């Protein structure tokens, strides 16, 4: 959800800059999709069904529709240019998410035992996911490599003082 919300920002800003306000139906569609999926899955999946409703609605409207609207009516460019640039980031996210699920599955802590163990497992999984995601981004994203190099240069400069 956080990843989708981060990706949403630039697309929404460009749509606003172009004065794209004709898709007022998108907010309604997002809400209807969210409620429909939530009502269909929550009885079976519990809170996961509620989260699934939110994620499915965001995927449908924010990830799929909003870029179509921006590139078709704003930039007047083929949509593949958007996906060509963004797809590697989605793949990096998916790979790190898969690794995170594996870590969670095989970490020998019973999160149901007590709240302290649940917190410990959550912290370990979040840190492991973050490290894996950052490492994958360093491997496949020039922007992440530039960030790492600036970070290293800043630390080196501060140590010289």
């Amino acid at each position: 959800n956080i990843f989708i919300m981060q990706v949403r920002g630039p697309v929404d800003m460009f749509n606003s800059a172009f004065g794209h306000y004709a898709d007022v139906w998108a907010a309604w569609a997002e809400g209807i999709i969210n409620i429909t999926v939530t009502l269909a899955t929550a009885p079976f999946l519990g809170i996961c069904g509620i989260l699934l409703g939110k994620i499915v609605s965001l995927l449908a409207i924010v990830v799929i529709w909003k870029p179509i609207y921006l590139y078709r009516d704003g930039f007047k460019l083929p949509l593949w240019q958007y996906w060509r640039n963004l797809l590697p980031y989605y793949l990096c996210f998916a790979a790190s998410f898969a690794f995170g699920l594996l870590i969670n599955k095989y970490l020998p802590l019973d999160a149901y035992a007590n709240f302290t163990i649940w917190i410990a497992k959550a912290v370990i999984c979040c840190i492991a996911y973050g490290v894996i995601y950052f490492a994958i981004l360093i491997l496949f994203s020039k922007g992440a490599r530039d960030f790492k190099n600036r970070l290293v240069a800043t630390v080196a400069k501060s140590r010289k003082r």
Side-chain angles (χ1 to χ4, degrees):
N1 193 20
I2 292 170
F3 180 80
I4 292 171
M5 297 308 284
Q6 292 299 313
V7 172
R8 166 184 224 161
V11 172
D12 283 346
M13 286 181 224
F14 275 103
N15 272 325
S16 293
F18 275 111
H20 287 167
Y21 303 111
D23 71 337
V24 293
W25 61 267
W28 286 96
E30 189 176 333
I32 290 168
I33 293 168
N34 186 351
I35 291 169
T36 303
V37 172
T38 297
L39 291 176
T41 59
F44 306 104
L45 301 174
I47 195 161
C48 291
I50 296 168
L51 295 172
L52 184 63
K54 181 66 174 170
I55 291 170
V56 168
S57 67
L58 285 174
L59 285 173
I61 301 301
V62 173
V63 174
I64 296 172
W65 165 246
K66 293 285 187 176
I68 290 171
Y69 186 46
L70 174 63
Y71 273 73
R72 185 190 67 201
D73 297 345
F75 294 142
K76 298 186 184 346
L77 294 170
L79 184 63
W80 68 266
Q81 288 185 352
Y82 173 79
W83 286 109
R84 181 189 67 196
N85 291 323
L86 200 59
L87 192 59
Y89 295 102
Y90 278 106
L91 293 174
C92 289
F93 173 78
S96 59
F97 189 77
F99 281 120
L101 288 176
L102 286 173
I103 290 168
N104 184 42
K105 183 177 181 178
Y106 293 110
L107 193 63
L109 294 174
D110 182 16
Y112 295 104
N114 63 46
F115 190 66
T116 306
I117 294 176
W118 181 82
I119 292 288
K121 188 169 186 175
V123 168
I124 291 167
C125 287
C126 286
I127 290 171
Y129 167 78
V131 168
I132 291 167
Y133 189 42
F134 188 67
I136 290 173
L137 283 176
I138 295 293
L139 290 172
F140 296 104
S141 167
K142 182 183 180 320
R145 284 190 298 276
D146 291 344
F147 170 73
K148 178 200 62 113
N149 292 338
R150 282 192 303 267
L151 191 63
V152 168
T154 302
V155 169
K157 187 187 286 186
S158 69
R159 287 186 181 188
K160 287 182 180 179
R161 291 183 195 180

